[in-house]
């Protein structure tokens, strides 16, 4: 039997009160039946399963016996990887979750530091929904204008059929229910989200934001740096630079002529050396800034290169880790009849769970746990490194722009200093002072041109970024449109398969509802949260319960027979006898569940609770725990 992923199975459930296990049972593949008298605590166990997997129990909704317990621990198989989850039983909503990489038995012998704690909601730290989605290979779907993301609590609304929700509705009832959320959950579990679509959608959001930022920066530079109402261009800068060079040369020529006149007149006064000292100090200061800027750029470039290598190594490790679990499960250990070095026969001194060559022991389950934990940690490290790289690249662009400006300023300061060295001044010659002032103005204009050149270069770099983002955006839009078309086709196929399964349940129901007997069409709307048969939506209470049960079971069975679904192949159902369901009808439904489960292509798990179990199903192949009574309830808290 080929396993379709995502695949979530309950292996063991343990409820603790005052340090004592008041419920501790193992579960198996296929159909699991918790049976017992009414009010013996079956629904309490079903609620604990829902809560342990990440469901939220609102304040005041805990049953009295359940509320008296301290914690619930569940050992699960997530895509064949064993993990243990623990949550404290509190009246408040949004309780956090603890995660242990191993079995409950191993967790019982581990210290508290071996557990990792995750909050209900995402924030500075990942939520437990993000972690569980990663374990199951589910994408973190964003939906709606607020960019909300689906959680385990929302996914479980199509996995857990509870007694408290209306039989007229599909989803488990919650506060603040939105149609767009229900549609997103339904589409996801039907497999109508491809990885390429999800990645393109997330990347498009980042590209749109980056493109808007680049466009805003370009507009700001254009508006802030205009001359005569026209944007600054490289052609304008070149023309202005030529004009200034010409005027500076003419001014310096006149200064030299006046200097000769002063010399010929044998004036001995010389202008103060203050101008020379000031010009020299400016050259030195700018040279130091240029050196510091170059050093910063070199440092940033090396950091970026190192982090790129580090990120690539993490990606490589993640690929290897994801492959390693499959290798361990598929191949296992290799056995040698002859030594691969000297070809001597290898004596069969087997070591349990060990190498038959070197006799070293190993444990595949421990390896899988370490792999799962490393995947989670390396994914977080990769995300942190990518965020740091984005900030560094932005800083590198700014540093390079600053360096170009500093180099221009330093070059002009050097020219100014050379002029100052050969320009004597005399308080007696006002004309010479005026010419020196004019030369200073011209040099300052040259410095402005250096700044303007850096602005133009920055605009050029931004324009290239804009073109790159626009090109990528077009590619992403094409990918999204293509994948969206595939999703529409996928959703139509999934709905057809679910409908076919539902019709099977309706046609094999006892003769209680005429519409069911002649059912030709079943419609279900996730956003409207309603079911109908042949266009009708109102039946007797027991028939509505049967229809809702058929939908939940059909969703699970369709996923167990089609790997295209993203349904976790788990069903928890507490409604097989709800709303006055007569025993014969309930038992007939149980038998249908057994038969369809046995014929499914992929491993799955169905957990139901009933007080009227079909006699042929009342055996350990299907049951979990004891047959509970009022005197022997599910929770041993007497």
């Amino acid at each position: 039997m080929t396993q379709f992923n995502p695949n979530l199975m309950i292996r063991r459930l343990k409820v603790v009160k005052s340090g004592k296990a008041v419920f501790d049972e193992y579960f198996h593949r296929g159909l699991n039946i918790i049976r017992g008298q009414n009010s013996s605590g079956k629904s309490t166990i079903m609620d604990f399963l829902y809560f342990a997997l990440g469901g939220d129990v609102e304040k005041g909704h805990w049953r009295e016996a359940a509320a008296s317990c301290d914690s619930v621990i569940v050992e699960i198989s997530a895509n064949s990887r064993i993990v243990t989850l623990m949550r404290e039983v509190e009246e408040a909503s949004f309780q956090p979750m603890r995660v242990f990489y191993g079995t409950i038995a191993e967790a019982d012998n581990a210290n508290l530091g071996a557990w990792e704690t995750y909050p209900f909601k995402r924030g500075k730290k990942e939520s437990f929904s993000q972690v569980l989605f990663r374990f199951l290979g589910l994408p973190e779907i964003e939906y709606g204008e607020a960019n909300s993301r689906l959680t385990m609590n929302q996914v479980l609304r199509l996995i857990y059929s509870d007694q408290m929700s209306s039989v007229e509705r599909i989803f488990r009832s919650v506060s603040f229910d939105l149609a767009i959320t229900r549609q997103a959950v339904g589409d996801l579990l039907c497999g109508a989200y491809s990885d390429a679509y999800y990645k393109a959608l997330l990347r498009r959001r980042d590209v749109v934001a980056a493109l808007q930022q680049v466009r805003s920066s370009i507009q700001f530079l254009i508006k802030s740096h205009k001359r005569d109402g026209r944007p600054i261009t490289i052609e304008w800068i070149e023309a202005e630079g030529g004009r200034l060079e010409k005027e500076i040369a003419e001014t310096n020529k006149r200064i030299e002529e006046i200097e000769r006149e002063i010399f010929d007149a044998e004036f001995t006064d010389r202008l103060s050396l203050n101008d020379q000292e000031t010009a020299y100090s400016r050259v030195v200061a700018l040279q130091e800034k240029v050196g510091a800027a170059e050093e910063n750029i070199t440092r940033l470039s090396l950091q970026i290169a190192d982090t790129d290598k580090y990120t690539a190594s993490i990606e490589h490790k993640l690929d290897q880790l994801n492959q390693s679990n499959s290798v361990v499960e598929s191949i296992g250990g290799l056995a040698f009849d002859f030594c691969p070095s000297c070809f001597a026969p290898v004596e069969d001194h087997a070591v349990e769970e060990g190498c038959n060559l070197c006799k070293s022991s190993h444990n595949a389950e421990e390896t899988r746990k370490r792999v799962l934990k490393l995947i989670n940690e390396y994914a977080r490290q990769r995300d942190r490194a990518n965020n740091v790289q984005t900030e560094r690249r932005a800083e590198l662009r700014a540093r390079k722009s600053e360096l170009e400006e500093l180099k221009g300023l330093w070059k002009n300061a050097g020219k100014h200093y050379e002029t100052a060295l050969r320009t004597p001044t005399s308080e007696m010659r006002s004309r010479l002072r005026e010419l020196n002032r004019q030369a200073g103005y011209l040099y300052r204009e040259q410095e402005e041109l250096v700044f303007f050149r850096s602005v133009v270069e920055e605009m050029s770099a931004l324009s290239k970024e804009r073109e790159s983002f626009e090109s990528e955006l077009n590619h992403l839009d094409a990918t999204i449109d293509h994948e969206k078309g595939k999703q529409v086709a996928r959703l139509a196929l999934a709905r057809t398969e679910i409908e076919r399964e539902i019709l099977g349940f309706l046609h094999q129901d006892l003769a209680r509802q005429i519409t069911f007997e002649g059912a030709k069409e079943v419609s279900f709307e996730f956003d409207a949260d309603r079911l109908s048969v042949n266009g009708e939506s109102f039946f007797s209470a027991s028939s509505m319960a049967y229809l809702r049960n058929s939908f939940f079971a059909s969703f699970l069975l369709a996923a167990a027979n089609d790997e295209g679904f993203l349904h976790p192949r788990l069903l928890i159902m507490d409604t097989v006898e709800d709303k006055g369901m007569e025993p014969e009808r309930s038992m007939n439904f149980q038998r249908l569940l057994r038969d369809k489960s046995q014929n499914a292509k992929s491993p799955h798990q169905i957990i139901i609770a009933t007080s009227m179990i079909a006699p042929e199903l009342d055996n350990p192949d299907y049951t979990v725990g004891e047959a509970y009574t009022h005197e022997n309830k599910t929770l041993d808290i007497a």
Side-chain angles (χ1 to χ4, degrees):
M1 184 178 286
T2 303
Q3 177 173 300
F4 299 155
N5 290 333
N7 184 280
L8 175 62
M9 289 194 188
I10 309 294
R11 289 166 53 94
R12 181 182 176 187
L13 180 70
K14 181 178 179 181
V15 181
V16 178
K17 175 179 171 64
S18 303
K20 171 191 172 186
V22 295
F23 181 88
D24 191 354
E25 294 292 345
Y26 289 87
F27 294 76
H28 48 262
R29 284 184 179 181
L31 181 60
N32 294 253
I33 304 176
I34 299 175
R35 80 277 195 210
Q37 297 175 344
N38 289 332
S39 301
S40 61
K42 302 185 300 298
S43 295
T44 298
I45 299 305
M46 306 301 265
D47 285 344
F48 271 132
L49 285 171
Y50 162 75
F51 177 69
L53 293 175
D56 185 43
V57 178
E58 298 176 2
K59 187 176 181 180
H61 285 215
W62 280 109
R63 290 175 169 81
E64 182 179 357
S68 70
C69 297
D70 300 325
S71 62
V72 56
I73 307 170
V74 62
E75 178 182 313
I76 65 171
S77 168
N79 292 359
S80 299
R81 296 162 175 166
I82 309 304
V83 181
T84 296
L85 314 176
M86 179 171 67
R87 297 184 78 187
E88 306 291 337
V89 179
E90 298 286 350
E91 283 292 333
S93 299
F94 309 136
Q95 289 301 305
M97 176 184 289
R98 292 177 182 171
V99 178
F100 177 81
Y101 298 92
T103 64
I104 289 180
E106 292 167 334
D108 288 341
N109 297 320
N111 57 43
L112 193 60
W115 294 80
E116 295 180 358
T117 303
Y118 297 93
F120 185 92
K121 295 182 178 180
R122 67 176 58 234
K124 293 182 179 179
K125 187 173 183 178
E126 283 187 318
S127 68
F128 63 70
S129 290
Q130 290 176 272
V131 175
L132 294 179
F133 275 32
R134 185 180 298 134
F135 291 165
L136 293 170
L138 287 172
E140 293 183 52
I141 302 302
E142 290 189 359
Y143 65 95
E145 296 180 357
N147 292 328
S148 301
R149 298 197 184 193
L150 295 185
T151 64
M152 278 299 296
N153 180 52
Q154 291 158 348
V155 168
L156 287 168
R157 295 177 63 198
L158 274 183
I159 294 175
Y160 177 35
S161 177
D162 68 315
Q163 290 185 352
M164 303 306 293
S165 299
S166 170
V167 292
E168 298 175 356
R169 304 293 181 185
I170 297 175
F171 284 81
R172 183 178 187 275
S173 299
V174 295
S175 301
F176 309 108
D177 195 11
L178 297 176
I180 191 172
T181 304
R182 295 193 296 269
Q183 189 66 53
V185 173
D187 289 352
L188 170 65
L189 297 196
C190 283
Y193 275 97
S194 72
D195 189 54
Y197 176 84
Y198 165 69
K199 289 181 178 178
L201 207 60
L202 291 184
R203 177 57 184 164
R204 188 185 190 282
R205 183 192 62 184
D206 295 338
V207 170
V208 168
L211 181 58
Q212 181 60 39
Q213 181 62 41
V214 168
R215 286 172 174 169
S216 298
S217 298
I218 291 174
Q219 290 299 319
F220 174 77
L221 291 175
I222 291 175
K223 292 180 179 179
S224 302
H225 305 292
K226 287 184 176 180
R227 283 297 179 270
D228 300 326
R230 301 175 63 181
I232 296 173
T233 64
I234 193 67
E235 291 78 14
W236 179 85
I237 291 175
E238 295 293 344
E240 283 293 294
R243 179 184 65 81
L244 288 173
E245 288 287 350
K246 183 177 179 181
E247 290 187 13
I248 288 173
E250 292 175 353
T251 301
N252 285 337
K253 182 178 180 181
R254 286 188 302 211
I255 289 173
E256 290 175 0
E257 290 173 352
I258 293 175
E259 287 175 352
R260 283 196 297 270
E261 292 176 5
I262 294 172
F263 181 78
D264 291 340
E266 295 184 350
F267 283 107
T268 57
D269 293 341
R270 293 288 181 185
L271 295 174
S272 171
L273 295 176
N274 287 342
D275 284 349
Q276 296 179 15
E277 294 173 355
T278 300
Y280 177 76
S281 298
R282 181 167 174 74
V283 170
V284 172
L286 286 171
Q287 191 168 5
E288 291 175 353
K289 290 182 178 180
V290 167
E294 289 177 336
E295 183 178 347
N296 284 333
I297 289 173
T298 301
R299 174 180 55 80
L300 278 172
S301 298
L302 290 174
Q303 289 175 345
I304 289 171
D306 286 343
T307 305
D308 281 341
K309 292 180 180 179
Y310 171 69
T311 305
S313 70
I314 288 181
E315 291 288 353
H316 182 63
K317 289 176 181 177
L318 281 172
D319 289 338
Q320 292 180 323
L321 287 170
N322 279 316
Q323 295 170 12
S324 65
N325 189 58
S326 298
V327 172
V328 171
E329 292 179 351
S330 300
I331 298 179
L334 296 176
F336 291 88
D337 294 326
F338 297 94
C339 174
S341 177
C342 66
F343 302 101
V346 176
E347 296 182 2
D348 186 16
H349 298 300
V351 176
E352 184 176 357
E353 293 187 2
C355 176
N356 81 315
L357 187 62
C358 68
K359 315 306 178 186
S360 297
S361 63
H362 60 81
N363 189 310
E365 184 59 31
E366 287 294 328
T367 301
R368 282 192 291 270
K369 289 186 290 183
R370 289 195 294 271
V371 167
L372 183 58
K373 190 169 185 178
L374 287 173
I375 287 174
N376 195 33
E377 182 59 29
Y378 280 135
R380 291 201 295 264
Q381 292 180 17
R382 175 195 60 197
D383 292 341
R384 288 196 295 267
N386 287 335
N387 291 337
V388 170
Q389 286 293 80
T390 299
E391 295 173 357
R392 283 176 176 166
R393 289 192 171 96
E395 183 181 357
L396 181 62
R397 288 197 301 271
R399 294 292 187 184
K400 286 182 177 179
S401 177
E402 178 186 7
L403 177 61
E404 291 303 317
E405 182 178 348
L406 287 172
K407 283 183 177 180
L409 294 175
W410 175 67
K411 182 178 178 181
N412 285 335
K415 292 180 180 178
H416 189 83
Y417 177 63
E418 291 177 0
T419 302
L421 287 176
R422 66 174 185 269
T423 305
T425 62
S426 173
E427 293 180 354
M428 298 175 63
R429 298 289 186 182
S430 61
R431 194 156 59 106
L432 185 58
R433 289 199 301 272
E434 180 63 24
L435 286 172
N436 283 324
R437 281 196 297 271
Q438 290 179 10
Y441 294 146
L442 292 172
Y443 283 124
R444 278 195 293 273
E445 285 189 64
Q446 274 192 329
E447 291 180 355
E448 284 187 1
L449 281 184
V450 172
F451 171 71
F452 289 146
R453 184 180 291 275
S454 68
V455 170
V456 171
E457 290 175 352
E458 184 178 357
M459 286 181 62
S460 177
L462 288 171
S463 295
K464 291 179 180 179
E465 283 191 48
R466 179 186 61 191
E467 292 172 1
S468 175
F469 284 137
E470 288 174 344
S471 176
E472 184 179 3
L473 189 60
N474 291 334
H475 175 71
L476 290 171
D477 285 339
T479 300
I480 290 170
D481 289 342
H482 175 70
E483 293 297 325
K484 196 168 185 179
K486 289 169 58 179
Q487 289 179 26
V488 170
R490 170 61 209 171
L491 187 58
L493 175 62
R495 295 177 73 91
T496 299
E497 293 179 356
I498 294 171
E499 181 186 31
R500 183 171 60 247
E501 294 286 352
I502 296 175
L503 289 173
F505 277 103
L506 299 184
H507 293 160
Q508 297 177 76
D509 184 21
L510 300 184
R512 301 294 185 270
Q513 187 71 49
I514 295 176
T515 306
F516 289 2
E517 294 179 34
K520 295 181 179 179
E521 177 187 35
V522 177
S523 174
F524 51 93
E525 302 171 39
F526 295 122
D527 52 352
D529 199 11
R530 62 187 294 271
L531 287 161
S532 66
V533 180
N534 292 349
E536 296 184 38
S537 300
F538 298 99
F539 309 99
S540 66
S542 60
S543 291
M544 289 296 297
Y546 187 90
L547 175 59
R548 186 170 186 264
N549 290 341
S550 298
F551 168 80
F552 272 87
S554 296
F555 209 153
L556 175 280
L557 291 166
N561 289 304
D562 180 358
E563 63 180 340
F565 283 85
L566 289 179
H567 189 291
R569 281 93 185 173
L570 169 69
L571 173 61
I572 303 172
M573 184 179 292
D574 193 24
T575 53
V576 294
E577 58 192 44
D578 204 9
K579 306 301 180 187
M581 184 82 67
E582 58 186 294
E584 291 80 5
R585 199 177 189 185
S586 174
M587 292 178 187
N588 180 65
F589 184 78
Q590 295 170 35
R591 296 184 186 103
L592 292 176
L593 277 180
R594 175 201 60 192
D595 295 342
K596 292 177 181 292
S597 173
Q598 289 177 346
N599 292 325
K601 296 179 181 178
S602 173
H604 58 279
Q605 189 174 52
I606 303 172
I607 303 174
I608 66 172
T610 182
S611 63
M612 47 183 78
I613 185 171
E616 64 270 33
L617 300 182
D618 194 1
N619 66 74
D621 289 339
Y622 302 105
T623 58
V624 174
E626 304 174 30
Y628 300 105
T629 65
H630 298 153
E631 292 74 26
N632 177 33
K633 294 189 175 184
T634 56
L635 297 182
D636 183 18
I637 57 176

